[in-house]
C-alpha cells in the first residue's frame, strides 16, 4: 500500500486529501483558505497566497509518507511571467469578467464562433486566458510588453513544487480552456496568443495523462495536474456515457465523450479531459437562482420550496416557467426574461408555482443535455452535483425529465480526489504496476441511484408541455444549435 495526495487549489482555498494508492480510501485531509492581502480583489490575487494556504493545509503531518502528488487548480486563471519567471502582476482569476469586450473582439476578428471552434474547439469568453491577454495588452500595455511566459494556476503550482525548473508543463484538460490550445489537434495556436497579446510568449509543454511532471527536490513524484472540472470528473470515476449536471446559481452540463466535439455555434465548449477522452461542456445561466427567486417570492427557503413542490403534481396544473431570469446562454437569449404561463384560477397556488420552478429549471438543463445528445454524445446516466441536488423535489423530478438514471454522489472533495487518482496513476505507470492507458479503478463512493421508472412517460409529457411553451415564446431558439 502506498500513499498519494491530491491538492485542489480552488478560488477560495486549498484542500488536501491523502489516499491509499490502491483503493482510493481517504486517509487524511487538510484545508486552509487563501490569505488575502490588503486591497486584493476577488478577481486577482498574488499567487504566493496559494503556496501559503497549501503550507497551512499541510500542517500536522498531512503529507507524511506520501509518494506522489497531483494538483487540481481553478481553470482559466492567468499567470503572466517575465523572462526570469517572475510574475509581472497578480494572477487574473477565473471569476474576472473584465475582458468581455476583448473576448467579443477576438471572436469577431478570427472568424466568429465557427472560426474559433474550428481552431481550438471553443469560443472565448471573458474568463478565457486568451481574452485576459487582450485585456492586458489594452489596459496595461507596459506590463503586457514584459510578458514572456504564461501559465495556468495548476501549472504554476506544479512548477513551484518542482523547484522552478527550466521546463514548465501543463495537461491537455486545463490547456483546452485557454482559447489557444486545440483539443482536436493537440497543439497550441500561437498565432492566437500573438493576436491577443501583440507578441509571442512561451507556453508550457502539454503532458500525456499519465506522464509525470517531475520530482520535487525531496523526491516526491508530481503528476501532470489538471483543471478542477477535469479533476472532479476523474474523482467521480466518470466513463464515456456519463454526464454531469452541476447545480449552482447557473448550471454546468458536461459529458465524457470519445472524440473532440466541434460546435460551430459555440454553444458547446469542446474541452479535453484528464484521461485522454473529451469533455464537451455547456453552460446554462439559470439554475438554482430560479429556485431562490421563487422561494423569495413565496416567502420560504429552498427546503420549504421543495416541500411545497411535492404537494403539486407533474405538470404543475399547467403552469410552465421558462427560467430565463438572467437572460440565457443555452439557448442564446442574452436579453430575454423569464416567462410564466398557464395561469388559471385552479393553478394559482403556491405549490404549483413551486413545482413549476423545479420543472422549469430541470427542463432548461435537459435542453442542454439534449444539445449534447443531438451532437452524438451518449448519455447513459447523469451525475447530479451541488447542494441543491439533495433537495427531495430535485431528486423526485430529475430522473423522469432527464430520461436516464440519476446518480447523486455523496458530498466529497472530488477535485482533490481526482488529483490524487492522477497521482496514483502516474506513480503506478512509473513503477510499472499501472497501465498508462487508463487510470487505476478506485471503487466509487456509495451514491444514491434514482431511476425514471414508471414516471418516464410522465416526464416526457412535462417536457412536451415545456417545449411547446418555449417554442411559442422563443420560436426557433434551438433550431441552429
Amino acid at each position: 500500500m502506498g500513499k498519494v495526495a491530491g491538492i485542489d487549489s480552488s478560488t477560495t482555498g486549498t484542500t488536501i486529501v491523502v489516499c491509499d494508492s490502491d483503493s482510493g480510501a481517504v486517509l487524511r485531509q487538510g484545508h486552509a483558505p487563501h490569505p488575502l492581502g490588503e486591497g486584493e480583489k476577488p478577481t486577482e490575487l498574488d499567487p504566493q497566497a496559494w503556496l501559503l494556504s497549501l503550507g497551512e493545509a499541510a500542517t500536522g503531518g498531512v503529507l507524511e509518507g506520501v509518494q506522489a502528488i497531483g494538483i487540481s487548480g481553478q481553470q482559466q486563471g492567468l499567470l503572466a511571467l517575465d523572462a526570469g519567471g517572475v510574475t509581472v502582476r497578480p494572477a487574473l482569476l477565473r471569476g474576472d469578467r473584465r475582458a468581455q469586450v476583448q473576448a467579443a473582439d477576438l471572436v469577431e476578428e478570427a472568424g466568429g464562433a465557427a472560426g474559433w471552434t474550428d481552431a481550438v474547439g471553443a469560443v472565448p469568453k471573458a474568463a478565457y486566458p486568451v481574452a485576459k491577454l487582450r485585456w492586458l495588452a489594452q489596459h496595461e500595455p507596459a506590463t503586457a510588453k514584459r510578458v514572456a511566459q504564461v501559465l495556468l494556476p495548476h501549472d504554476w503550482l506544479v512548477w513551484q513544487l518542482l523547484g522552478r525548473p527550466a521546463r514548465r508543463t501543463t495537461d491537455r484538460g486545463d490547456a483546452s480552456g485557454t482559447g489557444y490550445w486545440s483539443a482536436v489537434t493537440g497543439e497550441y495556436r500561437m498565432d492566437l496568443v500573438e493576436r491577443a497579446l501583440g507578441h509571442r510568449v512561451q507556453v508550457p509543454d502539454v503532458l500525456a495523462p499519465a506522464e509525470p511532471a517531475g520530482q520535487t527536490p525531496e523526491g516526491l513524484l508530481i503528476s501532470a495536474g489538471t483543471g478542477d472540472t477535469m479533476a472532479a470528473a476523474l474523482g467521480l470515476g466518470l466513463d464515456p456515457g456519463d454526464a454531469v449536471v452541476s447545480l449552482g446559481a447557473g448550471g454546468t452540463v458536461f459529458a465524457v465523450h470519445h472524440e473532440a466535439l466541434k460546435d460551430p455555434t459555440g454553444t458547446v465548449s469542446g474541452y479535453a479531459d484528464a484521461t485522454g477522452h473529451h469533455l464537451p461542456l455547456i453552460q446554462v445561466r439559470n439554475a438554482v437562482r430560479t429556485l431562490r427567486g421563487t422561494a423569495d417570492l413565496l416567502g420560504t427557503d429552498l427546503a420549504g420550496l421543495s416541500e411545497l413542490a411535492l404537494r403539486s403534481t407533474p405538470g404543475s396544473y399547467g403552469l410552465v416557467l421558462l427560467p430565463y431570469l438572467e437572460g440565457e446562454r443555452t439557448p442564446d437569449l442574452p436579453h430575454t426574461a423569464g416567462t410564466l404561463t398557464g395561469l388559471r384560477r385552479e393553478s394559482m397556488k403556491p405549490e404549483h408555482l413551486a413545482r413549476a420552478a423545479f420543472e422549469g429549471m430541470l427542463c432548461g438543463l435537459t435542453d442542454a443535455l439534449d444539445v449534447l445528445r443531438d451532437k452524438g454524445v451518449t448519455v447513459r446516466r447523469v451525475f447530479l452535483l451541488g447542494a441543491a441536488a439533495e433537495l427531495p423535489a430535485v431528486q423526485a423530478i430529475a430522473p423522469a425529465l432527464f430520461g436516464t438514471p440519476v446518480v447523486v454522489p455523496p458530498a466529497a472533495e472530488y477535485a482533490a480526489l481526482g488529483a490524487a487518482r492522477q497521482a496514483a496513476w502516474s506513480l503506478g505507470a512509473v513503477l510499472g504496476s499501472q497501465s498508462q492507458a487508463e487510470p487505476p479503478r478506485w471503487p466509487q463512493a456509495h451514491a444514491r441511484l434514482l431511476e425514471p421508472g414508471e414516471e418516464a412517460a410522465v416526464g416526457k409529457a412535462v417536457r412536451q408541455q415545456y417545449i411547446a411553451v418555449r417554442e411559442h415564446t422563443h420560436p426557433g431558439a434551438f433550431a441552429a444549435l
Side-chain angles (χ1 to χ4, degrees), residues 50-69:
W50 301 334
L51 294 179
L52 291 172
S53 66
L54 195 164
E56 186 177 345
T59 57
V62 170
L63 293 175
E64 184 177 348
V66 164
Q67 296 171 273
I69 295 175

Side-chain angles (χ1 to χ4, degrees), residues 195-355:
R195 175 185 289 273
L197 186 62
H199 64 271
R200 297 220 170 188
V201 296
Q202 290 184 347
V203 290
D205 294 341
V206 180
L207 300 176
E211 185 180 357
Q215 289 188 333
T216 70
E218 297 78 23
L220 286 176
L221 186 77
I222 306 295
S223 63
T226 193
D228 50 7
T229 298
M230 296 77 192
L234 194 55
L236 285 163
L238 302 185
D239 289 315
D242 289 335
V244 167
V245 172
S246 181
L247 300 176
T252 302
V253 177
F254 62 88
V256 181
H257 194 45
H258 64 280
E259 63 181 359
L261 197 63
K262 292 199 295 186
D263 173 19
T265 71
T267 302
V268 181
S269 294
Y271 295 148
D273 78 348
T275 71
H277 293 298
H278 295 266
L279 282 183
L281 181 146
I282 296 177
Q283 291 181 320
V284 174
R285 191 165 288 165
N286 300 278
V288 179
R289 64 165 41 97
T290 304
L291 303 183
R292 293 197 184 280
T294 308
D296 289 345
L297 180 65
L298 295 176
T300 186
D301 56 14
L302 292 184
L305 190 73
S306 176
E307 184 179 344
L308 274 173
L310 293 178
R311 295 180 195 168
S312 182
T313 56
S316 310
Y317 267 66
L319 283 186
V320 175
L321 176 64
L322 300 183
Y324 305 151
L325 306 186
E326 298 289 331
E328 189 46 75
R329 187 174 291 155
T330 308
D332 185 21
L333 299 168
H335 306 300
T336 193
T339 304
L340 180 66
T341 66
L343 285 170
R344 297 180 178 86
R345 180 65 189 88
E346 62 271 20
S347 66
M348 295 176 69
K349 295 182 179 179
E351 58 265 34
H352 304 322
L353 177 56
R355 188 171 185 107

Side-chain angles (χ1 to χ4, degrees), residues 263 265 267 322 324 327-334 336-337 367-368 371 374-375 466-481:
D263 173 19
T265 71
T267 302
L322 300 183
Y324 305 151
E328 189 46 75
R329 187 174 291 155
T330 308
D332 185 21
L333 299 168
T336 193
D367 281 345
V371 170
D374 290 345
K375 295 186 181 301
Y466 177 89
I467 290 170
V469 171
R470 188 197 69 208
E471 285 301 302
H472 177 76
T473 309
H474 303 287
F478 278 91
L481 300 187

Side-chain angles (χ1 to χ4, degrees), residues 97-173:
R97 294 292 187 267
R98 286 176 287 185
Q100 290 180 349
V101 171
Q102 289 73 28
D105 288 346
L106 285 168
V107 172
E108 184 177 353
E109 291 170 15
W116 278 91
T117 54
D118 185 63
V120 295
V123 179
K125 301 176 180 65
Y128 280 50
V130 71
K132 290 180 169 73
L133 287 174
R134 171 62 69 86
W135 181 90
L136 195 63
Q138 292 182 349
H139 290 269
E140 299 177 5
T143 300
K145 288 178 181 178
R146 296 173 54 204
V147 179
Q149 310 164 53
V150 291
L151 296 174
L152 300 169
H154 110 257
D155 308 340
W156 187 85
L157 283 165
V158 166
W159 184 54
Q160 296 294 320
L161 292 181
L162 292 176
R164 299 165 60 92
R167 186 193 190 202
R168 281 84 162 173
T169 62
T170 190
D171 92 301
R172 60 194 296 276

